Amino acid sequence: MPGYLGRDDQVALVEAIRTVVQKAPLYVPTMPRTGKPMSVRMTNCGTLGWVTDKERGYRYQATHPETGAPWPPMPERLLQLWREVGGYPHPPEACLVNFYAADAKMGLHQDRDEQDFDAPVVSVSLGDTCLFRVGQNTRDGQTVSFKLASGDVVVLGGQGRLAFHGVDRVYPSTSALLKKGGRINLTLRRVTKPA
Ligand SMILES: O=C(O)CCC(=O)C(=O)O
Ligand SMILES: [Mn+2]
């Protein structure tokens, strides 16, 4: 959904994320088994957060892996966004905050650590433009690439819920939203199956 969020919404969201990051600092996640650091820095807000490290791999947990504190609450504007575009009757539990510096990227992957694939994944881009790639439900399927700019919203839902996707590169200095540049991606997810 190109340009879904206007400039004022984007500024307000960056401010809300600044508050989150003050309480739950960005940290460097590491890959399961190899312990290789990811190029993206991460934190979360919401009742659950997505984390990864060498020893315990990909998972959701209620606390920050370095501070041990509960994740800060999800900003109301994000809950509202989910209601607007999610098409799902229960709120998201996790908002993963990804920060991409100029040289960061994210390899092709599926979001499949959740219990409920009926819920969509809703993702927001803020700051510098990136090259996003999305494919099929198998890794070797055809992919298409397009740019995601600040304010764009992506919904992976229905048939596309388990589509492989990734970020091939960030284009530096393409947005003035973040004073020091870079890209923020917010990924909202329902983790548990509602009762
Ligand atoms: O940065 C993005 O646009 C995608 C992030 C993503 O796929 C993820 O965190 O699972
Ligand atoms: Mn993903």
Side-chain angles (χ1 to χ4, degrees), residues 98-169:
N98 290 311
F99 179 76
Y100 296 75
D103 55 355
K105 49 191 191 242
M106 190 177 287
L108 209 63
H109 66 277
Q110 290 172 296
D111 287 10
R112 53 178 317 144
D113 300 316
E114 301 75 33
Q115 294 163 15
D116 190 3
F117 297 140
D118 291 342
V121 171
V122 173
S123 128
V124 180
S125 293
L126 297 168
D128 286 336
T129 297
C130 78
L131 186 62
F132 187 75
R133 182 198 291 259
V134 62
Q136 315 294 319
N137 294 351
T138 54
R139 181 174 291 280
D140 57 5
Q142 275 206 25
T143 65
V144 290
S145 295
F146 48 91
K147 287 180 177 177
L148 289 180
S150 196
D152 292 354
V153 171
V154 174
V155 180
L156 293 179
Q159 296 264 66
R161 174 62 181 77
L162 291 174
F164 276 84
H165 59 279
V167 172
D168 289 335
R169 63 162 298 187

Side-chain angles (χ1 to χ4, degrees), residues 51-113:
V51 299
T52 172
D53 57 34
K54 180 177 191 215
E55 293 74 23
R56 296 172 62 201
Y58 300 159
R59 63 195 186 274
Y60 282 92
Q61 64 182 41
T63 56
H64 191 288
E66 292 184 351
T67 69
W71 302 108
M74 194 149 354
E76 176 53 35
R77 182 64 185 94
L78 292 176
L79 297 170
Q80 185 193 339
L81 174 69
W82 176 273
R83 290 193 294 269
E84 288 166 8
V85 306
Y88 183 78
H90 305 278
E93 295 167 299
C95 171
L96 174 62
V97 179
N98 290 311
F99 179 76
Y100 296 75
D103 55 355
K105 49 191 191 242
M106 190 177 287
L108 209 63
H109 66 277
Q110 290 172 296
D111 287 10
R112 53 178 317 144
D113 300 316

